[in-house]
Amino acid sequence: VTEIARDLEVDGVVEGAVLQEREKVRVTAQLILADPERHLWAETYDRDVRDVLALQNDVAQCIAREIRLVLPPQEQARLAGSHRVNPEAYEAYLKGRSLWYERTTMALVKSIEYFQRAIQKEPRYALAYAGLADAYGLLAIIPWDGISPREAMPKAKAAALKALEIDGSLAEAYSSLALVLHRYEWDWKGAEENYKRAIQLNPNNARPHRWYGWLLKTAGRREEALAELKEAEER
């Protein structure tokens, strides 16, 4: 733990384990101070697997309280806004997002299948719509033969708008919409507004920082671009 904390330049490390058995999930988490190494806090949570998102937020809030961290209002609102989700939909979303990060045409096409599967299982799953928007958006701009922007970008925009219709506070949906405005519709003002909104809602998400940095670089705002790209790297 001491070596990990030194590499990450942090004072403490959260360590945990997850055990799922049928419809139940148990999460054990502990907060460890790195130097000198000692346990500060530990807790076990038992939940129905459908409450897994709320469980994540419970753990985050408990750790924040334990280390006397005052969360900003937007983060408190985000943590309080979790709802029950179909476990199969959640798993499909995670698989889709994992494939999305591979950045290949085959993986992106496969990620679309998983995001669509998540939506079939949970029709009002805003995060899955945002993932679908990101997949179509990236397929349209990758430097190899994916899907033509004329075909992919309208699908990306429709999915992003649907995500926002379901959850107007979802940061991922604002960054998804901003990418379409930025890279396809050339609405840089609208794109900037949506990137900023995404960052305001979830400053720990690297994607809007990175994509906003690209926009600023194109606009010739070099210092601002470098600052955003540095933020993305640190996230």
Side-chain angles (χ1 to χ4, degrees):
V1 171
T2 302
E3 292 178 5
I4 293 171
R6 186 183 305 118
D7 290 342
L8 296 175
E9 297 181 353
V10 296
D11 296 322
V13 174
V14 177
E15 188 177 75
V18 180
L19 176 65
Q20 180 179 341
E21 183 176 355
R22 296 180 182 175
E23 298 302 314
K24 297 295 182 181
V25 62
R26 169 172 291 179
V27 173
T28 302
Q30 55 184 341
L31 179 63
I32 305 172
L33 184 67
D35 189 16
E37 186 174 327
R38 63 186 176 92
H39 286 74
L40 296 178
W41 167 87
E43 189 61 82
T44 298
Y45 302 84
D46 292 295
R47 292 287 194 282
D48 186 293
V49 71
R50 294 179 65 89
D51 292 324
V52 64
L53 298 183
L55 176 56
Q56 292 178 28
N57 294 339
D58 286 348
V59 173
Q61 290 177 326
C62 284
I63 293 171
R65 287 194 296 269
E66 184 63 29
I67 61 177
R68 308 296 189 267
L69 175 66
V70 179
L71 296 175
Q74 66 268 25
E75 186 70 9
Q76 293 180 24
R78 188 175 71 85
L79 291 175
S82 291
H83 55 83
R84 293 168 68 93
V85 62
N86 183 305
E88 294 180 13
Y90 182 58
E91 184 176 351
Y93 169 77
L94 292 178
K95 288 179 177 179
R97 186 56 79 179
S98 177
L99 286 163
W100 185 86
Y101 279 113
E102 291 186 20
R103 301 293 204 278
T104 68
T105 300
M106 185 178 297
L108 288 169
V109 170
K110 190 67 176 177
S111 77
I112 288 174
E113 295 178 11
Y114 277 111
F115 291 135
Q116 290 174 334
R117 186 180 305 174
I119 291 167
Q120 289 173 354
K121 296 289 184 180
E122 189 84 39
R124 294 190 60 78
Y125 194 4
L127 203 55
Y129 280 103
L132 187 63
D134 286 345
Y136 277 121
L138 204 58
L139 271 174
I141 63 176
I142 52 179
W144 51 86
D145 187 22
I147 301 177
S148 72
R150 185 175 296 179
E151 178 184 355
M153 282 302 196
K155 293 180 179 179
K157 185 174 184 179
L161 291 174
K162 181 64 177 180
L164 288 172
E165 176 190 320
I166 296 170
D167 184 355
S169 65
L170 185 63
E172 289 84 348
Y174 284 100
S175 66
S176 302
L177 178 59
L179 184 67
V180 178
L181 299 176
H182 172 195
R183 300 298 294 268
Y184 183 64
E185 297 188 2
W186 304 106
D187 179 3
W188 289 3
K189 183 177 184 296
E192 181 169 12
E193 290 173 354
N194 281 277
Y195 283 139
K196 285 183 174 180
R197 180 61 174 153
I199 291 168
Q200 178 188 28
L201 288 168
N202 186 6
N204 291 321
N205 188 340
R207 286 194 301 280
H209 286 291
R210 183 182 303 113
W211 294 348
Y212 185 30
W214 294 349
L215 185 149
L216 292 169
K217 181 177 181 294
T218 306
R221 295 155 63 180
R222 184 174 180 274
E223 290 186 6
E224 293 174 81
L226 289 173
E228 288 299 329
L229 293 172
K230 184 178 180 181
E231 285 286 342
E233 184 179 28
E234 291 178 352
R235 303 301 170 181

